[in-house]
Amino acid sequence: MEITAVQGDITEQQVDAVVNAANRAMRGGGGVDGAIHRAGGPAVLEDCRRRFPHGLATGDAGWTTAGEMPARWVIHVVGPNRNAGETDRSLLTSCYARALEVADELGARTVAFPLVSAGVYGWPKDDAIACALEVFRAAETQVEEARLVAFDAATYERIAAQL
Ligand code: ADP
């Protein structure tokens, strides 16, 4: 699997699937979650309600339509909320591993990831990057490209330093 990094908006990525840093309720939120629901339109939330009536557990992943985005699917993951005391690093690596498993179930070959938990959920950015790259480097998957999407230039530089 090729690991790439870009600076930009994940909702605009021309990939098979975009990963969302969702919350356990899976009913939308702020940050990248809000951006994905806005760009995808109401079909994303409808699919979340229909397919995940009880939401998702921290560390787990599940897919919905991507609605009006260029991607075909959203793979929702629930990162650990460090600000709420969820400090177990394996919950964060699990998000990336489970997202790749779901991508394989879907047959997605190109997948764009945000830095899960590195925003409101308070995971230190450099370790959030390290978690993603550790899982990507060890992954056995049919996914051909894992693309880490940095929203700002400073974050992009920090990813590039670890690539
Ligand atoms: P969490 O609650 O998991 O911490 P956030 O959405 O608060 O999720 O932040 C996760 C990361 O996504 C942060 O690094 C934030 O800058 C980034 N981000 C926010 N909006 C977008 C977007 N449209 N595209 C890509 N990354 C984004």
Side-chain angles (χ1 to χ4, degrees):
M1 182 174 72
E2 190 185 359
I3 303 168
T4 60
V6 298
Q7 187 195 337
D9 185 335
I10 199 165
T11 66
E12 297 172 1
Q13 300 300 307
Q14 305 274 345
V15 287
D16 295 331
V18 295
V19 172
N20 180 22
N23 50 52
R24 285 198 303 258
M26 282 186 85
R27 297 296 180 266
V32 71
D33 195 6
I36 281 175
H37 280 272
R38 276 194 300 279
V44 179
L45 185 58
E46 276 166 34
D47 223 15
C48 283
R49 289 189 193 282
R50 189 171 60 80
R51 305 196 66 250
F52 303 95
H54 307 294
L56 262 182
T58 303
D60 203 0
W63 65 272
T64 67
T65 177
E68 294 163 35
M69 283 181 281
R72 183 161 173 198
W73 300 288
V74 177
I75 300 175
H76 304 262
V77 304
V78 183
N81 184 353
R82 219 183 149 91
N83 293 328
E86 292 182 315
T87 57
D88 181 355
R89 197 172 184 273
S90 70
L91 290 170
L92 187 50
T93 54
S94 169
C95 288
Y96 291 99
R98 283 286 302 128
L100 289 172
E101 284 177 10
V102 171
D104 279 334
E105 288 167 20
L106 292 166
R109 294 290 181 262
T110 52
V111 184
F113 293 79
L115 273 184
V116 179
S117 291
V120 172
Y121 279 6
W123 206 277
K125 206 159 261 184
D126 286 324
D127 194 52
I129 295 164
C131 282
L133 295 178
E134 266 171 49
V135 175
F136 293 162
R137 286 173 177 144
E140 290 183 21
T141 171
Q142 299 302 306
V143 173
E144 290 162 5
E145 181 190 356
R147 184 182 305 173
L148 266 181
V149 181
F151 205 33
D152 57 86
T155 302
Y156 175 80
E157 292 306 327
R158 289 166 83 159
I159 294 171
Q162 291 194 48
L163 265 185

